[in-house]
mmCIF file of all heavy atoms in Angstrom:
data_model
loop_
_atom_site.group_PDB
_atom_site.id
_atom_site.type_symbol
_atom_site.label_atom_id
_atom_site.label_comp_id
_atom_site.label_asym_id
_atom_site.label_seq_id
_atom_site.Cartn_x
_atom_site.Cartn_y
_atom_site.Cartn_z
ATOM 1 N N LEU A 19 84.407 109.573 118.151
ATOM 2 C CA LEU A 19 83.830 108.661 117.163
ATOM 3 C C LEU A 19 84.229 107.192 117.399
ATOM 4 O O LEU A 19 83.803 106.285 116.722
ATOM 5 C CB LEU A 19 84.259 109.013 115.742
ATOM 6 C CG LEU A 19 83.817 110.416 115.233
ATOM 7 C CD1 LEU A 19 84.458 110.742 113.953
ATOM 8 C CD2 LEU A 19 82.236 110.494 115.223
ATOM 9 N N ARG A 20 85.076 106.993 118.422
ATOM 10 C CA ARG A 20 85.620 105.598 118.734
ATOM 11 C C ARG A 20 86.411 105.034 117.495
ATOM 12 O O ARG A 20 86.219 103.890 117.148
ATOM 13 C CB ARG A 20 84.485 104.680 119.214
ATOM 14 C CG ARG A 20 83.861 105.079 120.541
ATOM 15 C CD ARG A 20 82.853 104.101 121.007
ATOM 16 N NE ARG A 20 82.369 104.381 122.342
ATOM 17 C CZ ARG A 20 81.435 105.212 122.631
ATOM 18 N NH1 ARG A 20 80.799 105.922 121.692
ATOM 19 N NH2 ARG A 20 81.096 105.433 123.955
ATOM 20 N N LYS A 21 87.176 105.929 116.943
ATOM 21 C CA LYS A 21 88.019 105.568 115.781
ATOM 22 C C LYS A 21 89.461 105.612 116.205
ATOM 23 O O LYS A 21 89.883 106.375 117.093
ATOM 24 C CB LYS A 21 87.797 106.523 114.623
ATOM 25 C CG LYS A 21 86.352 106.533 114.096
ATOM 26 C CD LYS A 21 86.044 105.330 113.175
ATOM 27 C CE LYS A 21 84.694 105.483 112.513
ATOM 28 N NZ LYS A 21 84.431 104.305 111.682
ATOM 29 N N PRO A 22 90.329 104.818 115.512
ATOM 30 C CA PRO A 22 91.761 104.955 115.807
ATOM 31 C C PRO A 22 92.256 106.292 115.333
ATOM 32 O O PRO A 22 91.782 106.943 114.429
ATOM 33 C CB PRO A 22 92.382 103.764 114.988
ATOM 34 C CG PRO A 22 91.296 103.463 113.906
ATOM 35 C CD PRO A 22 90.019 103.796 114.556
ATOM 36 N N SER A 23 93.400 106.670 115.962
ATOM 37 C CA SER A 23 94.054 107.899 115.532
ATOM 38 C C SER A 23 94.452 107.916 114.145
ATOM 39 O O SER A 23 95.109 106.948 113.646
ATOM 40 C CB SER A 23 95.206 108.164 116.448
ATOM 41 O OG SER A 23 96.040 109.292 115.967
ATOM 42 N N LEU A 24 94.134 109.022 113.404
ATOM 43 C CA LEU A 24 94.508 109.105 112.026
ATOM 44 C C LEU A 24 96.058 109.322 111.895
ATOM 45 O O LEU A 24 96.664 109.033 110.833
ATOM 46 C CB LEU A 24 93.853 110.298 111.362
ATOM 47 C CG LEU A 24 92.396 110.151 111.163
ATOM 48 C CD1 LEU A 24 91.791 111.443 110.608
ATOM 49 C CD2 LEU A 24 92.082 108.997 110.130
ATOM 50 N N LEU A 25 96.710 109.803 112.936
ATOM 51 C CA LEU A 25 98.170 110.006 112.953
ATOM 52 C C LEU A 25 98.940 108.707 112.692
ATOM 53 O O LEU A 25 100.195 108.780 112.303
ATOM 54 C CB LEU A 25 98.626 110.743 114.188
ATOM 55 C CG LEU A 25 98.078 112.164 114.304
ATOM 56 C CD1 LEU A 25 98.529 112.741 115.745
ATOM 57 C CD2 LEU A 25 98.551 113.043 113.259
ATOM 58 N N GLU A 26 98.344 107.577 113.056
ATOM 59 C CA GLU A 26 99.093 106.373 112.848
ATOM 60 C C GLU A 26 99.585 106.109 111.412
ATOM 61 O O GLU A 26 100.499 105.435 111.189
ATOM 62 C CB GLU A 26 98.232 105.122 113.324
ATOM 63 C CG GLU A 26 98.002 105.175 114.833
ATOM 64 C CD GLU A 26 99.261 105.167 115.719
ATOM 65 O OE1 GLU A 26 100.193 104.471 115.242
ATOM 66 O OE2 GLU A 26 99.273 105.791 116.721
ATOM 67 N N ALA A 27 98.798 106.695 110.498
ATOM 68 C CA ALA A 27 99.111 106.474 109.046
ATOM 69 C C ALA A 27 100.034 107.556 108.543
ATOM 70 O O ALA A 27 100.477 107.553 107.365
ATOM 71 C CB ALA A 27 97.831 106.512 108.265
ATOM 72 N N PHE A 28 100.426 108.512 109.436
ATOM 73 C CA PHE A 28 101.290 109.552 108.984
ATOM 74 C C PHE A 28 102.463 109.793 110.018
ATOM 75 O O PHE A 28 102.343 110.583 110.920
ATOM 76 C CB PHE A 28 100.529 110.889 108.897
ATOM 77 C CG PHE A 28 99.375 110.777 107.947
ATOM 78 C CD1 PHE A 28 98.094 110.496 108.368
ATOM 79 C CD2 PHE A 28 99.551 110.953 106.557
ATOM 80 C CE1 PHE A 28 97.047 110.425 107.555
ATOM 81 C CE2 PHE A 28 98.501 110.840 105.684
ATOM 82 C CZ PHE A 28 97.278 110.580 106.127
ATOM 83 N N PRO A 29 103.521 109.016 109.861
ATOM 84 C CA PRO A 29 104.605 108.899 110.911
ATOM 85 C C PRO A 29 105.249 110.271 111.227
ATOM 86 O O PRO A 29 105.567 110.532 112.356
ATOM 87 C CB PRO A 29 105.600 107.869 110.347
ATOM 88 C CG PRO A 29 105.275 107.798 108.885
ATOM 89 C CD PRO A 29 103.789 107.998 108.826
ATOM 90 N N LEU A 30 105.436 111.113 110.135
ATOM 91 C CA LEU A 30 106.137 112.365 110.387
ATOM 92 C C LEU A 30 105.192 113.307 111.133
ATOM 93 O O LEU A 30 105.636 114.045 112.035
ATOM 94 C CB LEU A 30 106.581 112.996 109.114
ATOM 95 C CG LEU A 30 107.656 112.257 108.293
ATOM 96 C CD1 LEU A 30 108.012 112.999 107.029
ATOM 97 C CD2 LEU A 30 108.936 112.072 109.137
ATOM 98 N N LEU A 31 103.943 113.314 110.833
ATOM 99 C CA LEU A 31 103.006 114.163 111.471
ATOM 100 C C LEU A 31 102.728 113.691 112.889
ATOM 101 O O LEU A 31 102.568 114.478 113.833
ATOM 102 C CB LEU A 31 101.660 114.066 110.731
ATOM 103 C CG LEU A 31 100.766 115.371 110.734
ATOM 104 C CD1 LEU A 31 101.519 116.634 110.401
ATOM 105 C CD2 LEU A 31 99.582 115.187 109.773
ATOM 106 N N LYS A 32 102.834 112.341 113.116
ATOM 107 C CA LYS A 32 102.685 111.826 114.488
ATOM 108 C C LYS A 32 103.808 112.282 115.326
ATOM 109 O O LYS A 32 103.691 112.653 116.521
ATOM 110 C CB LYS A 32 102.618 110.265 114.454
ATOM 111 C CG LYS A 32 102.515 109.646 115.770
ATOM 112 C CD LYS A 32 102.470 108.099 115.593
ATOM 113 C CE LYS A 32 102.405 107.492 117.056
ATOM 114 N NZ LYS A 32 102.369 105.998 116.995
ATOM 115 N N ARG A 33 105.087 112.201 114.814
ATOM 116 C CA ARG A 33 106.322 112.635 115.515
ATOM 117 C C ARG A 33 106.160 114.138 115.769
ATOM 118 O O ARG A 33 106.498 114.636 116.886
ATOM 119 C CB ARG A 33 107.504 112.324 114.718
ATOM 120 C CG ARG A 33 108.876 112.668 115.390
ATOM 121 C CD ARG A 33 109.341 113.992 115.016
ATOM 122 N NE ARG A 33 109.403 114.228 113.550
ATOM 123 C CZ ARG A 33 109.365 115.433 113.019
ATOM 124 N NH1 ARG A 33 109.288 116.550 113.740
ATOM 125 N NH2 ARG A 33 109.424 115.550 111.653
ATOM 126 N N TYR A 34 105.782 114.890 114.784
ATOM 127 C CA TYR A 34 105.555 116.327 114.931
ATOM 128 C C TYR A 34 104.618 116.671 116.026
ATOM 129 O O TYR A 34 104.869 117.565 116.886
ATOM 130 C CB TYR A 34 105.021 116.877 113.538
ATOM 131 C CG TYR A 34 104.458 118.312 113.620
ATOM 132 C CD1 TYR A 34 105.326 119.336 113.219
ATOM 133 C CD2 TYR A 34 103.207 118.599 113.956
ATOM 134 C CE1 TYR A 34 104.847 120.656 113.160
ATOM 135 C CE2 TYR A 34 102.740 119.874 113.941
ATOM 136 C CZ TYR A 34 103.532 120.912 113.506
ATOM 137 O OH TYR A 34 103.082 122.214 113.511
ATOM 138 N N TYR A 35 103.494 116.031 116.148
ATOM 139 C CA TYR A 35 102.525 116.228 117.165
ATOM 140 C C TYR A 35 103.124 116.008 118.513
ATOM 141 O O TYR A 35 102.815 116.746 119.449
ATOM 142 C CB TYR A 35 101.264 115.204 116.873
ATOM 143 C CG TYR A 35 100.183 115.281 117.970
ATOM 144 C CD1 TYR A 35 99.261 116.347 118.015
ATOM 145 C CD2 TYR A 35 100.098 114.248 118.978
ATOM 146 C CE1 TYR A 35 98.250 116.283 118.995
ATOM 147 C CE2 TYR A 35 99.130 114.295 119.890
ATOM 148 C CZ TYR A 35 98.190 115.252 119.921
ATOM 149 O OH TYR A 35 97.214 115.264 120.850
ATOM 150 N N ALA A 36 103.875 114.920 118.734
ATOM 151 C CA ALA A 36 104.491 114.572 119.975
ATOM 152 C C ALA A 36 105.562 115.626 120.356
ATOM 153 O O ALA A 36 105.644 116.042 121.489
ATOM 154 C CB ALA A 36 105.034 113.134 119.964
ATOM 155 N N ASP A 37 106.341 116.020 119.359
ATOM 156 C CA ASP A 37 107.397 116.979 119.657
ATOM 157 C C ASP A 37 106.885 118.371 120.082
ATOM 158 O O ASP A 37 107.411 118.947 120.979
ATOM 159 C CB ASP A 37 108.276 117.145 118.366
ATOM 160 C CG ASP A 37 109.208 115.995 118.104
ATOM 161 O OD1 ASP A 37 109.346 115.116 118.991
ATOM 162 O OD2 ASP A 37 109.789 115.973 117.028
ATOM 163 N N PHE A 38 105.789 118.778 119.449
ATOM 164 C CA PHE A 38 105.218 120.033 119.923
ATOM 165 C C PHE A 38 104.607 119.896 121.259
ATOM 166 O O PHE A 38 104.793 120.789 122.162
ATOM 167 C CB PHE A 38 104.195 120.475 118.887
ATOM 168 C CG PHE A 38 103.603 121.865 119.104
ATOM 169 C CD1 PHE A 38 104.142 122.948 118.396
ATOM 170 C CD2 PHE A 38 102.677 122.103 120.001
ATOM 171 C CE1 PHE A 38 103.700 124.182 118.571
ATOM 172 C CE2 PHE A 38 102.103 123.346 120.213
ATOM 173 C CZ PHE A 38 102.699 124.474 119.466
ATOM 174 N N LYS A 39 103.926 118.828 121.535
ATOM 175 C CA LYS A 39 103.361 118.709 122.860
ATOM 176 C C LYS A 39 104.333 118.581 124.033
ATOM 177 O O LYS A 39 104.013 118.855 125.115
ATOM 178 C CB LYS A 39 102.415 117.412 122.833
ATOM 179 C CG LYS A 39 101.503 117.369 124.076
ATOM 180 C CD LYS A 39 100.459 116.262 123.883
ATOM 181 C CE LYS A 39 99.524 116.286 125.054
ATOM 182 N NZ LYS A 39 98.424 115.175 124.946
ATOM 183 N N ALA A 40 105.560 118.233 123.646
ATOM 184 C CA ALA A 40 106.641 118.084 124.634
ATOM 185 C C ALA A 40 107.352 119.347 124.964
ATOM 186 O O ALA A 40 108.266 119.353 125.764
ATOM 187 C CB ALA A 40 107.538 116.977 124.263
ATOM 188 N N LEU A 41 107.086 120.423 124.232
ATOM 189 C CA LEU A 41 107.791 121.696 124.357
ATOM 190 C C LEU A 41 107.681 122.181 125.791
ATOM 191 O O LEU A 41 106.587 122.370 126.389
ATOM 192 C CB LEU A 41 107.225 122.774 123.473
ATOM 193 C CG LEU A 41 107.490 122.633 121.976
ATOM 194 C CD1 LEU A 41 106.642 123.558 121.122
ATOM 195 C CD2 LEU A 41 109.015 122.808 121.623
ATOM 196 N N PRO A 42 108.832 122.387 126.442
ATOM 197 C CA PRO A 42 108.766 122.817 127.912
ATOM 198 C C PRO A 42 108.044 124.135 128.128
ATOM 199 O O PRO A 42 107.382 124.285 129.182
ATOM 200 C CB PRO A 42 110.198 122.848 128.294
ATOM 201 C CG PRO A 42 110.987 122.983 127.051
ATOM 202 C CD PRO A 42 110.115 122.284 126.037
#
């Protein structure tokens, strides 16, 4: 949709998303 990420408004959810994606 060429919209900014909604996670920018939710810092804990943004961190959560990154932590899960980094799981080895």
Side-chain angles (χ1 to χ4, degrees):
L19 297 175
R20 294 183 173 83
K21 298 282 187 181
S23 169
L24 291 175
L25 293 177
E26 294 301 323
F28 302 97
L30 294 181
L31 210 51
K32 180 181 178 180
R33 184 268 307 160
Y34 168 97
Y35 176 78
D37 285 348
F38 188 96
K39 193 171 185 178
L41 289 168

